[in-house]
Each structure stands twice: as C-alpha cells, then as structure tokens.
Amino acid sequence: MFLLITMVLIVVAMVITSIRMIIGPTVWDRLLALNLISAKTILLLTLYGSYTDNIHVLDVSIAYGIIGFLTITLLSLFISRGGRQK
Amino acid sequence: MIYKILLIISWIYVIFGVIGIFRFNNMYARLLTGSKIDTAASITIIAALIIRAGISQFSIKLLLILLFLMVTNPISNHVLARSAYLNGIEVKKEGKG
C-alpha cells in the first residue's frame, strides 16, 4: 500500500516537472527537467518491479538509467558546442 | 515496518524536490533540486525497498541500481551545470535565491 502511494507521488512529481520543462526560460531548465524526469522514471520502474516482485523490471530500470545518463551528457555537449547554428 | 518510515521520509524529499523547482529563481539554485534532493530521494526509496526485500537476489540488483544512481545522477548534473556556466548563465553575486 505504501509503495502505491509512493508511485502516485512520483507520477505527480513527474507531471509537475514536465510543466517546468514547458515553462523553462532557458534550454538548461528543460535539460534539468528532463534529467529529473528520467531519474524519477528509474525510481518508478524500481518501485513497480518491487511491488509486483518481478525481477526483470529492475533490468529495464538499469537500462533506462544508462540511456538517461547518456541523453543528458550528449545533449549538454551538443548545446555547449553551440547546437545547429554553428 | 522500517521501510514504511523510510518511504515517508522519501515522500518529503520528493515534495521538496518539486517545490524547489519552482521556488528557486536562478538556474543554479534549481540545479540543486536535480542533483542533491533527487539523489537523496532515490537513496531513501531504494534503501527502503532493499529492507523490504530482505536478503535475496532481488536486493542485490536493487543495490546495483542504488550504486548506479548515486554515481550517475551527480555526474549528469555536473555536466549540465558546466555547459550552463560555460556559454550561458553567469553566476549572480546577490545573496538570495
């Protein structure tokens, strides 16, 4: 029961973070919101895996963690190199 | 029983993380929510799940995720802060925010 409340709380936090992603004045606010959402997705997957006692969901969350980390690193590298207009 | 207390603590972290995004006004303060508060929330949640799962293959994988998150989350926020600092936002000297 507690896990369900935590999952609902994390989903609500992700929705609110996506609002910050839409408002965000600078590109880095959007990147920060993306980073937050990917971190929360990992937590959500871990919670769901342990709620249904299914060990394979944990592998999915590890894979998503790697992809999320790569996304942030490459996107900020792309932006710090000036993006498309160079 | 213990994992319930830890989960309640993690609720507080998640709520503060969300409040922190909208309350702070400059970019670098907002990065604090992404790196510190979010990592603390994930440490608490995964520690609670490890205690709930007890000694099993399940908790070993959870430990792996915990270590992975503790390493990658600060690094990705560092990369973000560096790219924001290098060609974007200058660090304002005023105290608040």
Side-chain angles (χ1 to χ4, degrees):
Chain A
M1 212 276 287
F2 269 77
L3 291 184
L4 271 179
I5 302 171
T6 321
M7 280 196 239
V8 167
L9 189 75
I10 285 186
V11 169
V12 167
M14 281 163 77
V15 168
I16 298 172
T17 317
S18 64
I19 295 172
R20 162 54 64 182
M21 186 186 253
I22 294 161
I23 302 170
T26 65
V27 177
W28 294 284
D29 288 319
R30 293 195 174 94
L31 261 179
L32 170 68
L34 176 71
N35 190 11
L36 278 175
I37 288 177
S38 69
K40 289 203 167 33
T41 324
I42 302 169
L43 286 182
L44 198 63
L45 275 167
T46 327
L47 277 163
Y48 182 71
S50 73
Y51 179 65
T52 56
D53 285 331
N54 181 356
I55 206 159
H56 305 301
V57 181
L58 293 184
D59 305 337
V60 176
S61 82
I62 292 181
Y64 189 81
I66 298 168
I67 293 167
F69 173 63
L70 281 179
T71 316
I72 292 291
T73 321
L74 295 178
L75 272 180
S76 57
L77 196 68
F78 175 71
I79 286 168
S80 69
R81 206 183 299 121
R84 273 279 179 272
Q85 70 267 15
K86 268 272 182 342
Chain B
M1 181 51 200
I2 306 164
Y3 82 92
K4 288 187 174 119
I5 302 165
L6 274 178
L7 276 182
I8 293 168
I9 296 170
S10 71
W11 294 345
I12 302 167
Y13 280 132
V14 171
I15 291 167
F16 276 143
V18 168
I19 294 171
I21 291 173
F22 292 100
R23 281 283 292 146
F24 292 124
N25 45 24
N26 67 340
M27 169 68 193
Y28 295 103
R30 237 174 268 137
L31 270 173
L32 175 70
T33 63
S35 58
K36 264 195 205 154
I37 298 177
D38 222 32
T39 321
S42 57
I43 290 171
T44 330
I45 286 179
I46 295 184
L49 294 180
I50 286 175
I51 292 171
R52 177 177 180 272
I55 310 295
S56 72
Q57 193 195 1
F58 202 85
S59 61
I60 293 166
K61 200 157 279 191
L62 277 171
L63 200 68
L64 190 69
I65 293 178
L66 178 66
L67 292 179
F68 179 76
L69 262 179
M70 272 161 56
V71 170
T72 45
N73 215 349
I75 289 178
S76 69
N77 277 282
H78 164 69
V79 164
L80 192 64
R82 187 172 169 273
S83 87
Y85 179 72
L86 278 188
N87 53 4
I89 310 161
E90 82 292 343
V91 187
K92 283 187 279 299
K93 284 291 165 288
E94 32 87 20
K96 210 182 69 58

